Amino acid sequence: MKQLLSLAIVFLFCTCTYAQEKVNKSQFSFVYPLSSEGVNSVKYANNFSFNLIMGINGGLQGTEIGCVLNMQKGKVNGMQIAGVANLDMKKASGLLIAGSANIVNDTIEGVAIASSGNISRYTNGVSITGGLNITSGDCDGVQIGSINIANNVRGSQVGAINIAGKKCKGIQAGAINIANDSLKGTQIGAINIASKAKGVQIGLINIADKSENHTPIGLLNIVRNGYYATEVSADEIIYANLSYKMGVRKFYSIVRIGYSSYKSKPIFCSGAGFGSIINLSEKHKISLDLVTDQLHFDNKWDDKINILNRFIANYRYSINDKMSLFIGPTLNVYVSKVKHDGELGTINIPYKIYEYRSKKILVSSWIGGNIGFEVKL
């Protein structure tokens, strides 16, 4: 990082005031102004340029190779390759490759590849680095790096940490995605954070300060003024279920625990899922939930498969703003590799619409029902 900052300082203080006037076929520089064009090198755009240590030229319309630094006062159209850094005052179109950093005071329209970082005012092309991509203005292209930062994102950011200083209307894909102002695009990652969310968040943890036509898809969905509810229910298999729902009404995540018994031995359940609520009217609604519960039989908390999968369709009646009653059918698929008394399975299956049984696994399905009440938080 110190090296990158040092290069930026060199770029700011080592610029000249000459205007690009002519096109030169080639030039050679040892270190500016010790070059084939001397102090006049800033007046020329070159078709081919070679800089042993550092060259400062008026522009590029071809290829430039530098063992250490390449610096251009004017526009770059072509390919720049530098051992350490390419420093360009105006738009760079083409291919930039640097051992450390590409720093462009205007727009990157081609492809910029560097080990430490790419810095530009605008990105319309592709910036690739193992370190830091910084676009002080808008990113309409693609940033790929460990940390990607842009003011407004209308293109894509792919990295460990992606930050849109204002709006994100494109795609952020990484471990942590942040849209400081608003999200109208898509965030895909472990943790997604947006101030005003109108797009889609897909991740383990989704956080939005405000939600409008927003869909968070994840394990934990934290939305201010969103949908938060606790449910207590019972069915033909699990005597008592306690579920917590969070997110928005059209898509929420579910975590749940439950209790039952089988042949006088306890069954504890832990599960998760997701669901959606369809409004029929102010009082009447339909909810569709898909949940998976791991059944822990006889206080054995191992990782053996003993799973009850359910699709639950409930009719819901709102008593008031905080409380609802619900009832509805469930489609159950039970999968177990756990044996008790020599038989696979640890629940009382009421009847079967399908069953597969082998020496190692039991798969059984049936249609049941559930009933309960909900308290909104």
Side-chain angles (χ1 to χ4, degrees):
M1 185 62 69
K2 290 181 179 179
Q3 184 184 26
L4 195 60
L5 292 174
S6 298
L7 290 172
I9 293 170
V10 170
F11 180 52
L12 293 173
F13 285 97
C14 293
T15 56
C16 304
T17 59
Y18 294 95
Q20 174 187 327
E21 294 178 354
K22 302 178 181 179
V23 177
N24 196 17
K25 287 187 177 181
S26 63
Q27 78 84 36
F28 170 80
S29 295
F30 177 69
V31 59
Y32 179 83
L34 299 177
S35 68
S36 58
E37 302 301 328
V39 295
N40 293 321
S41 63
V42 294
K43 296 181 179 180
Y44 296 96
N46 300 292
N47 296 135
F48 177 78
S49 176
F50 181 82
N51 306 303
L52 188 60
I53 297 179
M54 181 183 74
I56 302 178
N57 298 287
L60 178 67
Q61 295 183 18
T63 302
E64 182 170 49
I65 299 173
C67 296
V68 183
L69 296 176
N70 296 318
M71 298 181 67
Q72 294 293 342
K73 179 67 176 177
K75 293 181 180 179
V76 171
N77 290 291
M79 179 172 66
Q80 279 186 309
I81 301 174
V84 177
N86 293 306
L87 311 176
D88 300 322
M89 277 297 293
K90 294 187 178 180
K91 184 183 295 185
S93 302
L95 176 62
L96 309 180
I97 301 174
S100 182
N102 294 303
I103 302 174
V104 180
N105 195 42
D106 197 290
T107 306
I108 294 176
E109 287 195 335
V111 178
I113 302 172
S115 63
S116 297
N118 297 303
I119 299 174
S120 65
R121 184 171 296 179
Y122 304 102
T123 299
N124 294 331
V126 180
S127 294
I128 303 172
T129 180
L132 181 66
N133 282 314
I134 298 178
T135 300
S136 60
D138 298 340
C139 173
D140 292 312
V142 180
Q143 292 180 318
I144 301 173
S146 297
I147 301 175
N148 301 304
I149 301 172
N151 194 37
N152 294 304
V153 176
R154 291 188 289 265
S156 301
Q157 293 179 316
V158 180
I161 299 175
N162 302 307
I163 300 173
K166 290 186 178 179
K167 298 177 180 179
C168 175
K169 295 183 179 180
I171 297 173
Q172 293 180 314
I176 300 174
N177 302 304
I178 300 172
N180 282 325
D181 188 350
S182 63
L183 170 68
K184 295 183 180 179
T186 303
Q187 292 178 321
I188 303 171
I191 300 174
N192 301 310
I193 301 171
S195 180
K196 300 175 184 177
K198 293 185 179 180
V200 178
Q201 293 177 309
I202 303 172
L204 295 177
I205 301 174
N206 300 309
I207 301 172
D209 188 53
K210 295 180 181 179
S211 175
E212 182 181 341
N213 196 23
H214 163 229
T215 304
I217 302 173
L219 181 62
L220 296 175
N221 300 308
I222 302 171
V223 182
R224 180 181 290 187
N225 299 322
Y227 172 65
Y228 299 96
T230 299
E231 288 185 356
V232 177
S233 64
D235 55 66
E236 72 278 2
I237 300 297
I238 310 302
Y239 305 151
N241 289 299
L242 178 64
S243 301
Y244 181 68
K245 298 181 175 182
M246 68 194 88
V248 294
R249 288 185 179 274
K250 69 178 181 179
F251 194 96
Y252 48 81
S253 58
I254 305 169
V255 292
R256 47 192 265 142
I257 56 175
Y259 175 80
S260 187
S261 66
Y262 177 68
K263 293 185 177 180
S264 302
K265 295 185 181 296
I267 301 174
F268 293 97
C269 312
S270 60
F274 55 86
S276 179
I277 291 178
I278 301 170
N279 286 333
L280 302 178
S281 67
E282 184 178 351
K283 291 284 189 180
H284 307 283
K285 299 174 177 63
I286 298 292
S287 65
L288 304 174
D289 295 345
L290 187 63
V291 297
T292 296
D293 292 317
Q294 174 71 29
L295 309 184
H296 308 281
F297 174 67
D298 196 18
N299 293 313
K300 294 178 181 178
W301 298 77
D302 52 32
D303 57 356
K304 289 185 179 180
I305 294 175
N306 198 24
I307 295 173
L308 180 57
N309 304 291
R310 291 177 167 181
F311 175 70
I312 306 169
N314 280 327
Y315 161 74
R316 315 178 79 88
Y317 176 76
S318 298
I319 299 173
N320 52 43
D321 291 340
K322 295 293 185 182
M323 183 172 288
S324 299
L325 301 176
F326 59 83
I327 188 171
T330 63
L331 173 62
N332 304 271
V333 178
Y334 177 57
V335 182
S336 180
K337 289 187 175 182
V338 176
K339 289 185 177 182
H340 179 64
D341 292 338
E343 294 289 331
L344 285 166
T346 63
I347 61 173
N348 291 306
I349 300 174
Y351 69 96
K352 308 172 185 69
I353 59 175
Y354 171 82
E355 182 174 277
Y356 170 80
R357 186 185 294 270
S358 69
K359 292 181 179 180
K360 294 183 178 181
I361 192 168
L362 167 67
V363 179
S364 185
S365 66
W366 69 95
I367 295 175
N370 78 133
I371 188 171
F373 66 92
E374 170 196 79
V375 177
K376 298 183 186 68
L377 304 178

